[in-house]
Amino acid sequence: MAFEDLYPNLPGILSEFKDGGLQLRVDPNPPETDSVLLLGTAVDGPIMEPVAVDPATVELVFGSGTLQNGLPNGSTLVKGFEEAYAAGCRDIRLMRITGEYAKTQVKAKKVSQSIEKPVHEKTIGIVEGNIESTFELNLPLVDENSVRVNIGGQTISPDKYVVVQGNDDPLNMVYAKIILEENVTDAGLSVFISYTNPYGTIERSENAHTETDPSNPTYWVTAGEDKTYTLLHRPIRETFKLYADGREADEKTFTVNQNEVTVKAGAFPKGTFLEATYLTAITEEFEPVLDIKAVYGGAVYNETKIRVEDIKSGGGEVVGKLLIITKPEPKKAQDAEEPLMFSSLDYPNFELMVNAINQHPKNNVVRASVSEKFKYHSTAELRSDEPEKNLQGGDDGINVTPYKLYEALGGKRDENGYVVEPGAYHLLENYNVDYIVPLGVYADEELPGKYDNFAYQLALACAVISHRNDTVLGVIPTKSPDEAGLKSVREHVDKLLQYNNNYFMRDRVGNILRGSDGKPIDLGRFITVIAGPDLIFGSQRFGLYSENSAAAYAGYMTTLPPHQAPTNKPINFALGMRYSFSNAQLDKLTESRFVTYKYKNNGTQIAVTDAMTAAQPDSDYRRQNTVRVVKAVVDAVRRVADPYIGQPNEIAQRNALSSAIQKELDSLKELGVISGSEFNLVATPQDILLGQLKIELTLVPPQELRRITTIVSLRPSL
C-alpha cells in the first residue's frame, strides 16, 4: 500500500511512495549489529536486488506475507524478516529471487518507410566454361589419330572432342572439322590444332577456314556465352560489387540490369565462385510501440489498466492522444486516486512521453521504454481504436519447484555446466554482507541429476564472495519432520545422520579439488547447517507458528561479539520448540556437525546446544566462534589495508601499513576478540614488480569453554 504524496516539493519524501528503492531504512543511525541478507520469495518488490528494510518498510516494499484472511500466502521474505528482527538483528536486507514482470505494449499507427538494406549474397553462381565449338580445318581429310588439340597451353584429351571428316570432291569439297564438347575449358582461350594430312605432312592450324575473306583469317578461341544470374534483390547500381573467388571484379566484366547481373563470357575461369554485395531499397511496414513493464514482478500488477483516448477540440476535431494508466487498487495512495494521464500535446514524441511516465512522482506501478528507432515518433499517432488492456504475465513466483529455486540462486547452466544465466549468488559476488540465508530451501533437499544440493551451493557462493569481499557466512536449515511425534522425530534424526554433511570444492564436472597440502578444499567452514528442532514464533503479522530457524539463528549471531559463541546461550526470540531431541540424538547430531537446540533450566529456556560449522571434524574452523573471530580480523585487516592500494610499494608505505595493522590487532586483543597475533609483510622483488604484497597473519583465537567437569569427593569429616 502506498501513501499520498503530501509534500511533493520536499526532497527525498518520494521514497515512501515508490514501493521500493535500495535504501528504505528510516532509522538514520548506523546499524547496531552485523548484517543479514535473506534470499527468498515475495508478492511484490524488486527482483534480484538487495534492499535494506525495517519493520515499517518491509511490507511496503515486498508486500504482505499473508492473505486477506490472515493466513500465510506462502512467501518467505517477510516471515524471515520477522524472525531475524525478533532475534535482535537490526541490519536486515531482503533479496527477492523469483517472480515475473507484467508487460504490455501501447501501439501506434503502422508506418511505411523506405530504407537501404545491405545485402551479401555469398553464392550467386559458378562460372561455366566454353560452349560447344566447331573448328573447320584447312583440309578435307585428316588422320584422326594424329589430331592434337591444344587450348590455352594445355593438351585436350581426345574424348573431349570429335573429328568429323570432310570429302575431297572438287565440285563440292567439305573440310574436316573438330567439334569441342561444352564446358571442357575456359571460354576465350587460344586454340591450336595439329594433324597429319593424307600425304604424311604435319599441318598446324590456328585460324579458321574463311571462305568470304581468305586473306583475313580469324584466330581460333574457345567460344562462350554471357551468363545472366538473378539476384535476390534489386541493387542500387552504384553500390553493387561483384567478387570472383573473393576478389573484387572489374566493372567491365559484368553489367547490372534490374535484379540481374550478366557476366561476360571468358571474364573468369571456369568454376569461379561469384558473390556480390550491394544496398537495396526496401519498403518496410513498422508498428511503433511503447513497451510498458511493471515496476516490480508480481500478479498484482496484472490489474494495471492501459488505454488511449482521443483529445478533441471544441469543434470535435481530433487534435491529440491521451495515454491513461489506471493503478491496481492495492497500489493506490487512496481509493479516489485519479489515473495517471499523459497527453501527446505535452509530450509530442515517444521519448518525451517515456521520460514523463518514468519520472512521474505518483507512478509506482510501471516503467516505460521505447526502441531507438521509435524515439522520435509522434505520440499523436497512438491508436485509440484498441480496447483498454491489462498488463499481463505478472507472477508472484511463490509456488515454484526446488529446481526453480536452485536455478534462481545459482543460475541456469547448459549441458556442459557453464552458466548461461546468472543467479542471485553470482550477482552478490561484489556485495558486502555478513550472513546469507536462503529461505525455503533445505540442505537435505534431494535434487537428482545434474543438481548439487542447496548447502553445497551456498557454501561455494560464500567462499567466492568471501574471496572477493569481506568474509560472509551462510546459514541453511534441514527439512522438518511431518509430525512432532516420537516416531516421526526418530525417523527424521535417523535420516539426518545418513546425510552426507561434507562440502568439498568440486570442478565443473564434479571432481574434488585439492589444496596445496593435498587435502580436499573444505567449504564447510563457510556455512552452518541447522537440524532443529523447529522453533515456535509469534508475531502480530503471522500469529503463532513453527518454523525452521535459519533466519532467526543468523539474526541472533549478528548480536554477539565475534569471540562469543552461541553455544549454550539461551535464546529469547522463540516461544518454544515444536518437538525436542533426546540427549542421545543431540549427541549424534552434534557429532555430525549440525546445530541443534535444547531445553535448559528445567525447560524454562531454549539454548543452542553447540555452535559449529559444517567444516571437517579435524578442521581449525569447525567452531563458529573461531570462524567469526577470523572473519572479524580478516575484515578489519582488509579495511585497514584498503587505503594503501594504489600507493607506491615501497618501504615507507609498507612500514605505515604495518603500523596500521598492528594498531588494529592490538585493539581487537583489548576487546577480547583475539588472544594474540603475529604478522609479517612479504614483498619479494617479483611481488614488487607485479604490484603485490602478502600479509602472513597468525592468530590465537580465544578458546571456547565447552565442558565443565565437577569432581566430588566425600569425607567423614574435614
Side-chain angles (χ1 to χ4, degrees):
M1 172 69 72
F3 300 98
E4 186 177 6
D5 183 3
L6 299 177
Y7 309 103
N9 298 315
L10 296 183
I13 196 68
L14 294 180
S15 62
E16 279 281 337
F17 313 116
K18 297 288 282 187
D19 274 10
L22 299 185
Q23 296 293 331
L24 291 176
R25 188 183 294 108
V26 296
D27 184 1
N29 298 318
E32 303 168 359
T33 65
D34 286 346
S35 57
V36 169
L37 175 63
L38 306 179
L39 310 178
T41 60
V43 298
D44 204 347
I47 299 174
M48 293 298 180
E49 191 68 50
V51 181
V53 293
D54 59 20
T57 58
V58 59
E59 287 192 334
L60 178 65
V61 181
F62 291 99
S64 176
T66 61
L67 302 170
Q68 291 183 350
N69 59 9
L71 296 176
N73 59 18
S75 62
T76 57
L77 281 180
V78 177
K79 184 182 287 187
F81 170 85
E82 292 268 343
E83 296 164 13
Y85 192 85
C89 183
R90 294 299 179 263
D91 187 356
I92 305 174
R93 299 95 178 269
L94 306 184
M95 185 174 182
R96 186 182 177 195
I97 61 173
T98 59
E100 298 293 336
Y101 290 89
K103 302 174 183 178
T104 193
Q105 290 183 327
V106 180
K107 300 179 180 180
K109 295 179 182 178
K110 292 183 179 180
V111 294
S112 296
Q113 183 178 1
S114 179
I115 63 173
E116 292 184 353
K117 178 183 177 181
V119 179
H120 182 192
E121 295 193 40
K122 294 185 177 180
T123 304
I124 63 173
I126 301 175
V127 174
E128 297 179 357
N130 63 285
I131 62 174
E132 184 179 283
S133 305
T134 300
F135 305 99
E136 189 175 85
L137 305 179
N138 293 325
L139 293 175
L141 299 173
V142 298
D143 181 357
E144 293 186 16
N145 293 327
S146 69
V147 174
R148 298 290 185 270
V149 178
N150 185 287
I151 300 177
Q154 299 292 325
T155 299
I156 303 302
S157 174
D159 62 351
K160 301 298 183 183
Y161 58 86
V162 176
V163 179
V164 180
Q165 298 285 1
N167 66 69
D168 55 359
D169 184 349
L171 298 177
N172 186 25
M173 183 177 292
V174 177
Y175 294 96
K177 300 176 182 178
I178 304 296
I179 302 175
L180 181 68
E181 293 180 3
E182 66 178 357
N183 213 30
V184 171
T185 184
D186 299 339
L189 298 181
S190 299
V191 179
F192 299 91
I193 301 175
S194 65
Y195 53 92
T196 302
N197 61 24
Y199 307 103
T201 303
I202 297 176
E203 299 281 348
R204 298 181 183 275
S205 299
E206 61 182 34
N207 53 20
H209 179 83
T210 307
E211 294 181 351
T212 56
D213 188 5
S215 64
N216 185 23
T218 302
Y219 288 94
W220 281 332
V221 293
T222 50
E225 290 181 340
D226 293 351
K227 179 70 173 179
T228 299
Y229 303 91
T230 301
L231 302 171
L232 297 176
H233 307 277
R234 181 176 177 177
I236 300 173
R237 179 61 185 89
E238 59 271 18
T239 67
F240 184 86
K241 292 184 179 180
L242 183 69
Y243 295 88
D245 282 344
R247 296 185 177 183
E248 185 176 349
D250 191 311
E251 291 189 358
K252 297 178 181 179
T253 61
F254 63 90
T255 58
V256 178
N257 182 30
Q258 301 292 333
N259 67 327
E260 294 181 336
V261 56
T262 301
V263 178
K264 295 181 179 180
F268 309 107
K270 178 173 71 81
T272 299
F273 281 88
L274 299 177
E275 60 181 314
T277 62
Y278 53 90
L279 294 178
T280 184
I282 62 172
T283 300
E284 288 189 352
E285 190 175 58
F286 297 102
E287 187 175 45
V289 295
L290 281 177
D291 293 300
I292 306 293
K293 178 180 177 181
V295 63
Y296 298 138
V300 65
Y301 297 97
N302 292 334
E303 302 172 23
T304 305
K305 299 181 182 299
I306 309 289
R307 74 178 187 273
V308 177
E309 293 183 355
D310 291 331
I311 302 175
K312 296 183 179 181
S313 65
E317 180 185 359
V318 176
V319 295
K321 303 293 181 179
L322 185 66
L323 176 65
I324 303 172
I325 302 174
T326 303
K327 299 181 182 180
E329 292 299 324
K331 308 305 292 184
K332 291 182 178 179
Q334 53 187 351
D335 293 339
E337 182 179 352
E338 294 292 329
L340 306 176
M341 299 185 183
F342 305 91
S343 167
S344 65
L345 303 179
D346 297 326
Y347 313 107
N349 65 45
F350 276 23
E351 183 179 41
L352 293 174
M353 186 168 283
V354 164
N355 293 336
I357 293 171
N358 295 340
Q359 295 172 12
H360 196 287
K362 292 187 178 182
N363 176 17
N364 61 337
V365 289
V366 298
R367 291 292 178 267
S369 62
V370 62
S371 66
E372 189 71 23
K373 65 180 177 180
F374 298 143
K375 286 172 59 175
Y376 304 112
H377 192 77
S378 173
T379 50
E381 299 296 318
L382 291 174
R383 293 180 58 181
S384 57
D385 59 337
E386 290 198 331
E388 183 178 65
K389 63 180 69 176
N390 284 46
L391 269 64
Q392 296 181 341
D395 185 77
D396 295 335
I398 293 176
N399 300 314
V400 293
T401 64
Y403 304 106
K404 288 290 186 181
L405 289 173
Y406 185 90
E407 291 182 340
L409 291 167
K412 295 181 180 179
R413 298 176 181 269
D414 61 17
E415 62 277 5
N416 297 316
Y418 293 106
V419 175
V420 295
E421 183 178 325
Y425 291 145
H426 297 101
L427 301 177
L428 293 171
E429 288 181 359
N430 294 300
Y431 183 79
N432 279 324
V433 70
D434 296 303
Y435 295 92
I436 292 179
V437 183
L439 302 175
V441 302
Y442 308 95
D444 55 341
E445 183 88 57
E446 294 183 3
L447 296 173
K450 63 180 179 180
Y451 298 95
D452 292 313
N453 62 41
F454 286 107
Y456 175 83
Q457 188 186 43
L458 175 62
L460 180 61
C462 290
V464 172
I465 297 171
S466 299
H467 177 70
R468 297 192 174 190
N469 303 281
D470 290 349
T471 306
V472 61
L473 306 177
V475 181
I476 189 170
T478 58
K479 300 177 74 173
S480 303
D482 295 332
E483 299 179 2
L486 291 177
K487 182 175 182 297
S488 295
V489 172
R490 179 177 178 177
E491 291 174 350
H492 172 65
V493 171
D494 290 343
K495 187 175 180 180
L496 286 179
L497 294 178
Q498 296 175 5
Y499 170 70
N500 182 16
N501 198 25
N502 299 303
Y503 309 100
F504 299 120
M505 180 177 283
R506 300 191 299 272
D507 62 16
R508 181 172 47 84
V509 296
N511 299 315
I512 293 178
L513 301 179
R514 298 179 180 273
S516 57
D517 57 0
K519 296 182 179 180
I521 299 175
D522 185 12
L523 300 177
R525 57 171 289 192
F526 291 99
I527 63 169
T528 293
V529 182
I530 299 178
D534 293 346
L535 300 181
I536 299 175
F537 298 93
S539 73
Q540 292 182 346
R541 288 188 174 100
F542 299 97
L544 287 176
Y545 66 95
S546 63
E547 188 69 86
N548 66 70
S549 57
Y553 186 82
Y556 177 63
M557 283 200 294
T558 67
T559 66
L560 299 176
H563 55 288
Q564 290 189 18
T567 301
N568 200 45
K569 286 186 170 58
I571 56 176
N572 56 10
F573 52 81
L575 303 179
M577 295 193 298
R578 177 177 169 230
Y579 53 89
S580 60
F581 294 138
S582 67
N583 285 338
Q585 290 170 334
L586 290 171
D587 182 69
K588 289 293 185 182
L589 291 171
T590 301
E591 182 184 11
S592 297
R593 308 184 315 285
F594 292 107
V595 170
T596 58
Y597 301 104
K598 65 180 181 180
Y599 281 119
K600 61 181 297 184
N601 294 340
N602 297 321
T604 60
Q605 289 182 322
I606 302 172
V608 179
T609 306
D610 197 357
M612 60 188 60
T613 68
Q616 293 299 293
D618 59 348
S619 171
D620 292 339
Y621 299 97
R622 63 189 182 277
R623 312 231 55 80
Q624 277 184 5
N625 71 316
T626 302
V627 173
R628 296 176 71 235
V629 164
V630 172
K631 166 180 164 54
V633 175
V634 170
D635 291 349
V637 171
R638 190 193 297 263
R639 288 191 296 272
V640 168
D642 183 73
Y644 291 87
I645 295 177
Q647 299 294 328
N649 194 357
E650 298 176 349
I651 293 178
Q653 297 295 334
R654 293 197 291 273
N655 288 341
L657 174 59
S658 178
S659 298
I661 293 174
Q662 186 63 60
K663 182 178 179 180
E664 187 68 22
L665 293 175
D666 291 343
S667 175
L668 292 174
K669 184 176 180 180
E670 288 183 15
L671 294 173
V673 176
I674 56 177
S675 298
S677 64
E678 292 181 352
F679 74 94
N680 290 311
L681 300 185
V682 178
T684 65
Q686 184 178 6
D687 290 331
I688 295 175
L689 183 63
L690 297 175
Q692 297 178 164
L693 176 66
K694 297 184 182 70
I695 303 174
E696 296 180 346
L697 181 62
T698 302
L699 302 177
V700 182
Q703 298 303 310
E704 178 184 338
L705 180 59
R706 302 186 61 248
R707 184 185 295 270
I708 298 176
T709 302
T710 303
I711 301 175
V712 179
S713 299
L714 300 179
R715 294 182 181 180
S717 63
L718 294 177

